[in-house]
Amino acid sequence: MSEDYQAKTHIAFSPNKVIMGLGSSATVAAEVRYLRGSKVLLVTDPGIVDAGLIKSIEESLQDENIPCVLYDKVEPEPPSRIIDNGAAIFKSEGCDLIVGVGGGSSLDVAKGISIRAGNEGCILDYIGVDTVPNKGARMILVPTTAGTGSEVTRVLVMTDEEQNTKNVVFTPFSLPDVAIVDPLLTLSLPPIVTADTGMDALVHAIEAYVSMNATVFSDIWAEEAIRLIGTHLPVACAKGSNVNGRYHMCLAATLAGLAFTSGGLGAVHALAYPLGTEYHMTHGRTNAIMLPHVMQFNLPGSPDKYTRIAKLMGKDVDGLSPLESAYLAVEAVLDLEESINVSCQMKDYDIPEKDLPLLVDGAMKQARLFVPNPRDLNENDVRLIYQQAFEPSWPL
Ligand code: NAD
């Protein structure tokens, strides 16, 4: 272990229990019993219901005589009102345990309802870091995308419709009692959702890895996640029924979630958020667009770690200078994006260049994410990075 690691104290956050395995979602009812749950609120979105993903969970709860109320009103990039409405149903129905099934949107709504169950007011009252006074309701989270890692993170993300901003509640009380990762639930993901959510996981791993708050734990988790995603994301996109590809993407997304919930995020997320709120693009796609541009800007701040990323993604860095080898990490990401048909150019999404000031303003509202970023950036740098995304040139 290097002396850099030994010079500081390391903290890791994780749920009480993580269960991973093919078919492991069949254990939901047993875990509810173990947690002494007597009435479940099952939180999900209509797409998950249509994909038939909650049927076996509902049936297993029925077999165990555990009453269950379905709340399937989750919307993508969920507005805060979806959480508050769910919290009202949790209370009026007399539920005492939440099972969230779905992508990051459903899992974050489940987390918000849990927090509201133990705390007064509305969920927007708790925006920020460690602002939640009480632990909420018990909670089991079951992801159906291999991306956000929400099942193991201490954060929930929601949209404030009035302000048109994305906001986070950062609290260990949003960690579930049990996370159940069943790769079979991801077989039905369409290729485009596989690509976007897989890139989201890669952004989590890379941002945590180069973060100024990286820890010995987040580094280990992030390295493995980066390696797995480089190998398995193209397979999962090319052949959705490939269980091996899906398995490793699920593992990678969970590891990346563990990595960033301890190591933090950075400027990719700050610059991606305005694309989501202004043009209603998915979180994963907006992250994928900004990733190579922010990486290129960041290289001088952490050449060793970017070189390691290049190696983990299969690049040969022998004989190159530190910056040349670090740049190969950008190239590896561009290669990966090309292989899964994800463009990082704004022009491919009809985003008008005249909106540049709007984007810069939006990113500056997320300036808290610049603190752990490996290179300092100001408003002008943000503008330059967006300009690069409008008209990319590689390397700069
Ligand atoms: P999502 O939950 O919005 O789901 C996207 C779409 O995919 C939905 O229509 C859903 O029905 C469908 N879907 C999901 N799983 C499916 C499956 N197996 N088969 C078929 N269709 C399926 O997408 P997401 O990218 O997982 O989550 C995005 C949200 O998560 C954003 O709000 C983002 O800000 C948030 N997020 C949270 C964290 C966290 O740690 N809490 C981290 C990153 C992102």
Side-chain angles (χ1 to χ4, degrees):
M1 198 54 54
S2 84
E3 285 181 14
D4 283 357
Y5 284 130
Q6 292 173 36
K8 63 180 193 181
T9 303
H10 302 268
I11 300 174
F13 293 89
S14 70
N16 283 344
K17 188 183 203 179
V18 181
I19 301 172
M20 166 143 197
L22 300 175
S24 58
S25 56
T27 63
V28 166
E31 292 303 320
V32 172
R33 278 270 174 257
Y34 181 76
L35 292 169
R36 306 269 185 273
S38 63
K39 188 169 184 182
V40 166
L41 184 72
L42 183 51
V43 178
T44 190
D45 73 39
I48 305 297
V49 177
D50 290 349
L53 298 178
I54 59 158
K55 207 163 172 268
S56 64
I57 295 174
E58 279 183 314
E59 280 170 3
S60 72
L61 289 168
Q62 239 164 33
D63 291 348
E64 288 281 328
N65 291 321
I66 302 170
C68 169
V69 177
L70 179 64
Y71 180 57
D72 61 355
K73 301 285 181 276
V74 174
E75 297 173 15
E77 321 291 319
S80 60
R81 67 182 153 77
I82 303 285
I83 295 174
D84 291 321
N85 292 345
I89 293 170
F90 181 84
K91 197 170 169 193
S92 66
E93 290 282 350
C95 299
D96 58 9
L97 190 144
I98 296 160
V99 175
V101 182
S105 300
S106 296
L107 303 194
D108 284 2
V109 169
K111 289 175 170 188
I113 296 172
S114 164
I115 287 169
R116 279 288 323 276
N119 297 278
E120 298 297 323
C122 64
I123 193 66
L124 285 175
D125 295 339
Y126 298 103
I127 291 168
V129 181
D130 289 335
T131 57
V132 179
N134 307 311
K135 184 165 166 46
R138 285 158 292 173
M139 179 174 40
I140 298 173
L141 297 181
V142 186
T144 64
T145 59
T148 69
S150 176
E151 68 278 5
V152 292
T153 72
R154 58 187 167 121
V155 60
L156 73 93
V157 191
M158 65 193 154
T159 303
D160 179 341
E161 290 176 303
E162 230 169 74
Q163 303 289 329
N164 197 26
T165 51
K166 286 190 82 169
N167 292 296
V168 295
V169 177
F170 230 95
T171 167
F173 298 142
S174 68
L175 285 162
D177 296 276
V178 186
I180 301 179
V181 184
D182 182 352
L184 294 182
L185 298 182
T186 65
L187 294 181
S188 52
L189 278 172
I192 191 164
V193 187
T194 304
D196 287 357
T197 51
M199 285 305 297
D200 191 23
L202 182 65
V203 170
H204 293 158
I206 290 179
E207 291 224 281
Y209 193 53
V210 300
S211 162
M212 302 312 290
N213 298 334
T215 71
V216 66
F217 303 110
S218 62
D219 277 358
I220 291 168
W221 288 325
E223 284 199 3
E224 186 58 3
I226 292 165
R227 192 186 68 76
L228 289 172
I229 294 166
T231 307
H232 295 283
L233 182 54
V235 179
C237 289
K239 192 71 183 167
S241 59
N242 184 311
V243 174
N244 188 50
R246 293 295 195 186
Y247 187 98
H248 287 100
M249 278 308 299
C250 285
L251 178 58
T254 300
L255 292 176
L258 287 166
F260 94 77
T261 210
S262 297
L265 295 170
V268 177
H269 273 76
L271 273 73
Y273 278 150
L275 297 180
T277 46
E278 293 304 328
Y279 313 109
H280 303 290
M281 302 166 81
T282 67
H283 176 74
R285 180 57 62 111
T286 60
N287 268 342
I289 294 171
M290 294 318 304
L291 177 64
H293 309 295
V294 173
M295 281 174 78
Q296 178 157 237
F297 173 83
N298 277 349
L299 295 180
S302 191
D304 291 352
K305 281 210 158 161
Y306 282 110
T307 297
R308 181 81 186 123
I309 292 169
K311 286 191 203 166
L312 289 164
M313 295 184 74
K315 294 287 181 187
D316 179 3
V317 301
D318 270 3
L320 299 177
S321 73
L323 268 184
E324 283 169 340
S325 54
Y327 177 73
L328 290 189
V330 181
E331 217 172 83
V333 167
L334 291 171
D335 293 347
L336 177 65
E337 292 193 345
E338 197 180 344
S339 75
I340 58 172
N341 285 323
V342 168
S343 167
C344 65
Q345 301 197 32
M346 302 275 215
K347 71 171 168 50
D348 291 332
Y349 302 95
D350 293 330
I351 299 172
E353 207 160 344
K354 69 169 176 48
D355 284 1
L356 189 61
L358 196 71
L359 296 175
V360 175
D361 274 1
M364 293 310 291
K365 283 187 192 148
Q366 308 287 345
R368 70 189 160 81
L369 287 163
F370 299 167
V371 180
N373 196 64
R375 183 174 174 187
D376 287 334
L377 67 171
N378 58 30
E379 194 169 331
N380 199 39
D381 298 320
V382 170
R383 187 171 300 107
L384 287 175
I385 297 170
Y386 278 131
Q387 274 167 347
Q388 155 79 0
F390 278 110
E391 265 181 70
S393 59
W394 310 101
L396 270 182

